[in-house]
Amino acid sequence: MRLEYLTGNHAIAEAAIIAGLKFYAGYPITPSTEIFEYLASKLPTKGGVVLQFEDEIASINAVIGASWAGAKAMTATSGPGFSLMVEALSLAIMTETPLVLAYVMRAGPSTGIATKAGQYDVMQVRWAAHGNYELVVYAPWSVQECLDLTIKAFNVSEMLRVPVILLSDATLAHIWERVVIREPPEVSIVNRKKPKVPRDKYKPYEPEEDLVPPMACFGEGYRVLVESLTHDERGYYKATNEVQRRLVWRLVNKVLKNKHLISDSATYLVDDADYVLIAYGSTARSAYALIRELRSKGIKVGLYRPKLLWPLDEEMLINSTIKAKKVFVVENNVGVYVREISRVLRNKEVISIPIIDIEVPTPDEIFEVMKEWI
Amino acid sequence: MRYELLIAGRGGQGILLIGRVLGVAASKYSNLYVTCSESYVAETRGGDSRADLIISNNEEELDFIKVRKADIAIFMHQAQLVKFSSLVKSNGTVYVDETYVSELPSNVGWRVLRASYTKLAEREIGNIRVANMVALGHLIGTTKLINPEAVEMAIDEVVGEEWSELNKKAFRLGLNIGV
Amino acid sequence: MDIIHPLDRYLRTDRLPHIWCPGCGIGIVISAMLRAIDRHISEGHFTQDDVATVSGIGCTARATLYLNFDSAHVIHGRAIPFAIGLKVIKPNLKVIVIGGDGDIAAIGGNHLLHSARRNMDITVIMVNNMVYGMTGGQVAPTTPMKVYTTTTPYGNLEYPLNLIKLVSSLNTNYVARASVTHPHLIERYIYNALSRDGFSFIEVISICPEVFGRHIGFRNPVELFNKLKSMIKFKAKPSIDESDIVWGKEIVLGEYVNEYKSGFIKLLYGS
Ligand SMILES: Cc1ncc(C[n+]2csc(CCOP(=O)(O)OP(=O)(O)O)c2C)c(N)n1
């Protein structure tokens, strides 16, 4: 264990190295670039490779290739770059390719304000890629969580053979905080399952009980087939209802049925709360500050903070708001994740507090809206 | 224990370095928790430069990432003092560089500690660029917020070998102001 | 599995028959490629396990489905970056990208350009049928001027891209043009490409009687084949100035760039 004083971006890069990263490909974009630069100087000294590509499309496709060569691989970007990556994200989902994508949100639409924060892309990240799938997305609220959740992102991606997204923002990217760094064996690192059958019996998409297929890589003699078309367990293209249904449901269910392994959220004083604030990422820091302040004045408020943003842990959300008279969803955007909360809390009064602030919404700004309802 | 610190001045006065050194000293060498957010105008010289630090011995007390009401502030220049004075508690402790600050607000109950950090740095060290470390020394010497040895270790780590002695000399100069 | 043909060991024979139309040129390219790989393997230069083939989407790109190597059939235009990811992590692999002119030169054109510039150690085989085959006959960046396609129903107004000239202008080790009318040249060039480090690019002029033939009035494969053959000229040392394709006139085959500079992998890892 050691102490460091790092920014959110440094912590993501540091965590990736601890998790066993061997390949980074990227294209520079504010506010994610420090992840790239930090790795460019450090990763080669740990036996890894860092390459700058001609665009984000090439970057994520190279990451997918590197993962199939057996390396833990990642890229990082922001909104404009993620928009370019979504086609390949769908490929990674379809081919069950482990990879980590650090998405550092900035103010949009379009080029927006490159250096400034916002949480506009929480829906885009989940839904932008084509086809139906479940996507694992983690949202940290501190530099320590940038570190911890990046390690978790790698572990989950290897465990379930899925791309995992770490969703940070321009504020977290650049704040400095104390972090506790633990390396293995103090922290556990997961590696993908390897085939247990002889080469001629191996099928690259044949799942085990957890719905995850063991993964052979290129150059190991298994004659793997990475297939973006709808495929059977061998990777053979089949345009039938039967194969399409079996594949799509498995891709969805391997995330949902393993939810207990990936779920992560935090609560603060929800047990007796009349009002529960729901917030994620840097904005949750402001909500938390407000709750501490209101509690000192005797107002019973609590916080529910999903760290796993997608898929939302519905039971946790319901249990954390069971006694609340009202639920407030605070976001640095026009109010989008609130739709997901309302979908689950159908019988509750769910109030959206959308605050566009290019730094981070302040506790006072939140209270300004909230006070009309309490 | 939880403090909010605001450090502000013009770009080029080494504001962010004060924040960086304090952050490292507190988090790595004093077992304290720190959040620091930096803001600056892209041009290095002239614009506002500001570091907001929240320091606490309890992790749960780190909440909002910016200063809401500073317990302690350093103002290295008049322009930023005017701009950010409302962020300081009315009974806050405020350090000012008299070289560039001539007027203080009259309607607050600040405890003001002042010295000509820039002039001192020029006269005693021969380099105005370490005025920031003189100010930091003054703050540490009078608040005892962090052990001076921890700060010196942080200086070694943050500024690098070539400049560390000069910066530590300036820091010690600040420590002894008024002693 | 009964081995009927000596090259069957390089095919997933359980997946045959393939999807390509009668008269299509892709099969000629694939068998020439397999003969080139087989020669290398029998000469002990590498093994079947060391070969990786990567393709995007298109008729040509379907080739990787049938090949008994570690293979990837990824998304349209992105085979090259996938291949680079593979190669950089497993430098011992012989990484071959195969695709159509749309896949490699249109949507994937930027990746072609930059991987050639890096002299990245992969071999790219572009099958140029001068049209989009899989999607049913739209204009390609290689379609000759004036040709009617489904998306240029009044005739193509754009000058075709000369890939030989483009790739030769970059820092690459090997650039050659072959044609399905001369399979032994395809084999020789792929063999030569696989014999060196750095980036190698082979354009294979092919025929697509089903859609391109229909567009230009040669619906009969034999006639289209003969038409192409009549334009082909082989040169031992062709100059880049004569590499433009003018349909109906002359298509010059040969090795346009033939060098042995250090590839990217050597620069990255040392020797
Ligand atoms: C992003 C994307 N855009 C478009 C398509 C549709 N598409 C499939 S293959 C193809 C072009 C095929 O032409 P070419 O690459 O020349 O290969 P050929 O079929 O002629 O061998 C297109 C446009 C796609 N699959 N993906």
Side-chain angles (χ1 to χ4, degrees):
Chain A
M1 189 204 108
R2 67 193 150 96
L3 291 177
E4 286 291 351
Y5 184 63
L6 298 174
T7 66
N9 276 350
H10 296 156
I12 291 170
E14 191 63 39
I17 295 171
I18 293 166
L21 181 74
K22 283 290 171 287
F23 183 78
Y24 179 97
Y27 189 82
I29 185 168
T30 306
S32 74
T33 306
E34 294 85 2
I35 299 172
F36 193 169
E37 290 170 341
Y38 192 93
L39 288 170
S41 85
K42 272 205 160 183
L43 196 60
T45 69
K46 316 259 176 192
V49 177
V50 176
L51 293 182
Q52 180 168 327
F53 275 82
E54 52 273 19
D55 57 27
E56 287 86 350
I57 301 174
S59 302
I60 187 168
N61 281 285
V63 163
I64 295 171
S67 186
W68 276 98
K72 290 190 183 178
M74 86 177 286
T75 184
T77 190
S78 188
F82 184 77
S83 291
L84 291 180
M85 289 182 179
V86 292
E87 188 198 12
L89 182 63
S90 190
L91 172 70
I93 291 164
M94 184 61 139
T95 54
E96 303 183 62
T97 308
L99 65 88
V100 172
L101 193 165
Y103 185 159
V104 188
M105 290 184 285
R106 64 191 226 184
S110 196
T111 310
I113 311 171
T115 53
K116 295 295 184 182
Q119 299 180 307
Y120 306 90
D121 306 317
V122 288
M123 287 294 181
Q124 182 223 17
V125 71
R126 169 62 183 88
W127 300 106
H130 56 289
N132 282 175
Y133 51 87
E134 288 291 335
L135 189 65
V136 180
V137 180
Y138 287 106
W141 83 332
S142 64
V143 176
Q144 183 72 51
E145 276 191 3
C146 284
L147 187 107
D148 295 342
L149 291 178
T150 300
I151 294 175
K152 189 159 187 169
F154 273 97
N155 284 349
V156 170
S157 81
E158 293 283 318
M159 188 165 58
L160 300 185
R161 271 184 73 176
V162 288
V164 176
I165 293 176
L166 186 92
L167 191 65
S168 178
D169 65 49
T171 298
L172 285 175
H174 295 138
I175 60 169
W176 294 79
E177 294 191 306
R178 166 183 135 133
V179 276
V180 178
I181 298 186
R182 293 190 174 80
E183 315 229 0
E186 280 188 297
V187 61
S188 77
I189 300 300
V190 178
N191 295 311
R192 59 192 74 168
K193 297 188 287 193
K194 301 304 287 179
K196 300 170 188 81
V197 296
R199 290 173 182 194
D200 55 326
K201 296 264 164 20
Y202 175 70
K203 297 183 188 138
Y205 306 96
E206 187 171 56
E208 295 186 330
E209 209 165 326
D210 59 359
L211 302 183
V212 183
M215 186 170 176
C217 290
F218 279 57
E220 294 173 353
Y222 286 87
R223 307 281 152 76
V224 295
L225 180 56
V226 181
E227 180 55 272
S228 84
L229 294 165
T230 290
H231 49 265
D232 65 13
E233 288 66 23
R234 295 167 300 177
Y236 287 11
Y237 173 50
K238 283 259 158 60
T240 65
N241 260 333
E242 192 210 330
V243 171
Q244 174 73 3
R245 285 176 185 159
R246 195 162 76 226
L247 177 61
V248 173
W249 281 117
R250 185 174 62 75
L251 293 179
V252 166
N253 285 332
K254 82 172 169 176
V255 175
L256 295 182
K257 294 234 165 97
N258 289 301
K259 200 138 139 194
H260 58 288
L261 299 173
I262 63 176
S263 183
D264 207 346
S265 60
T267 55
Y268 178 68
L269 302 180
V270 291
D271 289 346
D272 66 341
D274 295 326
Y275 309 105
V276 169
L277 269 67
I278 298 178
Y280 50 88
S282 60
T283 302
R285 299 280 288 262
S286 311
Y288 175 61
L290 176 62
I291 290 163
R292 282 174 22 99
E293 197 175 303
L294 293 180
R295 277 276 172 179
S296 72
K297 294 177 182 154
I299 303 172
K300 288 184 176 164
V301 237
L303 176 71
Y304 175 68
R305 179 168 70 86
K307 298 189 210 174
L308 177 70
L309 217 49
W310 297 106
L312 174 63
D313 188 334
E314 300 182 9
E315 296 91 82
M316 267 303 291
L317 170 64
I318 290 167
N319 291 339
S320 310
T321 52
I322 218 145
K323 296 218 193 78
K325 292 186 211 137
K326 290 190 174 78
V327 169
F328 297 87
V329 182
V330 189
E331 305 175 71
N332 190 352
N333 55 35
V334 300
V336 291
Y337 195 68
V338 63
R339 297 174 198 179
E340 178 70 358
I341 303 292
S342 306
R343 181 184 67 77
V344 179
L345 302 180
R346 279 185 281 291
N347 303 319
K348 278 234 184 281
E349 193 169 359
V350 177
I351 297 148
S352 175
I353 305 187
I355 298 169
I356 288 186
D357 189 314
I358 60 169
E359 303 291 340
V360 62
T362 66
D364 297 335
E365 284 174 323
I366 300 170
F367 188 64
E368 201 54 37
V369 182
M370 196 182 158
K371 70 173 190 233
E372 315 206 343
W373 301 85
I374 62 174
Chain B
M1 160 241 148
R2 180 183 185 280
Y3 292 99
E4 297 195 358
L5 280 88
L6 179 73
I7 303 155
R10 289 170 59 129
Q13 287 191 297
I15 301 300
L16 302 188
L17 189 66
I18 302 179
R20 206 69 65 81
V21 168
L22 258 177
V24 170
S27 60
K28 293 183 71 170
Y29 303 117
S30 314
N31 203 23
L32 295 169
Y33 294 88
V34 189
T35 295
C36 175
S37 58
E38 303 176 340
S39 54
Y40 55 92
V41 179
E43 310 81 62
T44 25
R45 265 157 226 286
D48 294 342
S49 185
R50 171 179 156 185
D52 294 36
L53 283 99
I54 323 291
I55 299 181
S56 174
N57 59 356
N58 177 359
E59 192 172 11
E60 294 200 354
E61 289 185 334
L62 292 189
D63 45 35
F64 184 52
I65 59 159
K66 292 207 145 198
V67 161
R68 298 176 73 192
K69 276 291 176 192
D71 303 281
I72 301 168
I74 299 177
F75 290 116
M76 297 294 284
H77 204 280
Q78 185 77 42
Q80 286 72 34
L81 184 146
V82 171
K83 200 159 176 179
F84 300 123
S85 62
S86 65
L87 284 173
V88 184
K89 274 186 182 159
S90 61
N91 63 348
T93 304
V94 177
Y95 296 80
V96 295
D97 184 349
E98 284 191 300
T99 319
Y100 296 114
V101 176
S102 49
E103 274 177 62
L104 288 161
S106 53
N107 56 348
V108 287
W110 290 351
R111 174 177 171 236
V112 179
L113 288 93
R114 56 186 100 201
S116 276
Y117 303 132
T118 306
K119 281 198 188 128
L120 273 172
E122 185 170 26
R123 202 176 60 221
E124 306 288 325
I125 318 272
N127 189 335
I128 60 164
R129 294 191 58 189
V130 291
N132 56 351
M133 290 298 116
V134 181
L136 177 60
H138 196 195
L139 182 147
I140 294 296
T142 46
T143 59
K144 310 277 188 254
L145 190 65
I146 291 169
N147 188 328
E149 276 138 47
V151 177
E152 294 202 8
M153 282 158 80
I155 292 174
D156 284 341
E157 182 173 326
V158 175
V159 303
E161 224 172 301
E162 193 183 344
W163 298 102
S164 126
E165 280 315 314
L166 193 76
N167 278 275
K168 283 194 285 195
K169 207 167 147 196
F171 172 68
R172 285 173 206 146
L173 179 68
L175 275 182
N176 292 321
I177 291 175
V179 174
Chain C
M1 182 172 48
D2 291 338
I3 295 200
I4 301 158
H5 188 280
L7 295 178
D8 272 2
R9 74 176 68 110
Y10 303 120
L11 293 172
R12 296 176 190 257
T13 48
D14 58 337
R15 303 202 69 177
L16 298 174
H18 57 68
I19 58 147
W20 297 308
C21 308
C24 174
I26 296 171
I28 298 172
V29 185
I30 301 305
S31 54
M33 179 182 91
L34 293 181
R35 283 194 301 277
I37 292 171
D38 186 55
R39 240 179 91 198
H40 273 294
I41 289 175
S42 57
E43 287 164 9
H45 299 148
F46 50 80
T47 71
Q48 191 166 349
D49 285 350
D50 298 327
V51 179
T53 58
V54 185
S55 65
I57 298 293
C59 294
T60 311
R62 284 290 176 100
T64 51
L65 277 67
Y66 305 112
L67 300 176
N68 194 19
F69 305 113
D70 285 327
S71 296
H73 179 229
V74 294
I75 51 178
H76 195 34
R78 316 303 169 194
I80 288 176
F82 183 103
I84 294 173
L86 276 182
K87 180 68 186 181
V88 163
I89 296 301
K90 290 249 166 92
N92 288 337
L93 292 178
K94 283 279 164 191
V95 181
I96 302 168
V97 170
I98 178 157
D101 40 296
D103 207 19
I104 301 289
I107 191 167
N110 203 30
H111 310 311
L112 174 69
L113 190 80
H114 288 281
S115 54
R117 172 180 68 79
R118 295 183 185 106
N119 205 13
M120 183 58 70
D121 307 60
I122 58 175
T123 295
V124 176
I125 301 167
M126 187 190 85
V127 177
N128 182 0
N129 55 12
M130 299 175 198
V131 77
Y132 282 15
M134 173 132 280
T135 42
Q138 300 78 21
V139 73
T142 45
T143 304
M145 286 189 84
K146 300 198 181 121
V147 170
Y148 300 95
T149 73
T150 61
T151 48
T152 56
Y154 304 104
N156 178 24
L157 303 178
E158 298 173 17
Y159 198 79
L161 184 57
N162 178 346
L163 273 303
I164 296 294
K165 204 178 237 170
L166 176 76
V167 181
S168 296
S169 74
L170 300 160
N171 176 43
T172 126
N173 267 359
Y174 189 77
V175 178
R177 179 186 281 147
S179 161
V180 294
T181 53
H182 297 72
H184 63 287
L185 287 181
I186 311 175
E187 180 187 332
R188 189 195 302 165
Y189 296 164
I190 294 176
Y191 180 88
N192 288 350
L194 292 174
S195 306
R196 72 189 75 209
D197 292 347
F199 189 80
S200 45
F201 177 76
I202 299 145
E203 176 183 37
V204 185
I205 309 296
S206 184
I207 52 164
C208 172
E210 194 64 36
V211 288
F212 188 68
R214 183 153 37 91
H215 290 332
I216 57 159
F218 286 92
R219 187 63 189 74
N220 180 317
V222 178
E223 284 175 24
L224 182 59
F225 188 91
N226 287 335
K227 172 73 185 167
L228 175 62
K229 200 168 184 178
S230 71
M231 290 178 248
I232 295 296
K233 201 164 186 184
F234 167 78
K235 293 207 174 166
K237 282 213 154 78
S239 108
I240 288 158
D241 295 335
E242 52 192 348
S243 61
D244 272 1
I245 295 176
V246 185
W247 182 260
K249 292 210 174 115
E250 191 176 79
I251 301 177
V252 178
L253 310 186
E255 296 173 297
Y256 287 87
V257 176
N258 196 349
E259 292 181 25
Y260 289 87
K261 295 183 296 239
S262 281
F264 180 86
I265 293 293
K266 202 161 268 170
L267 298 177
L268 180 67
Y269 288 111
S271 40

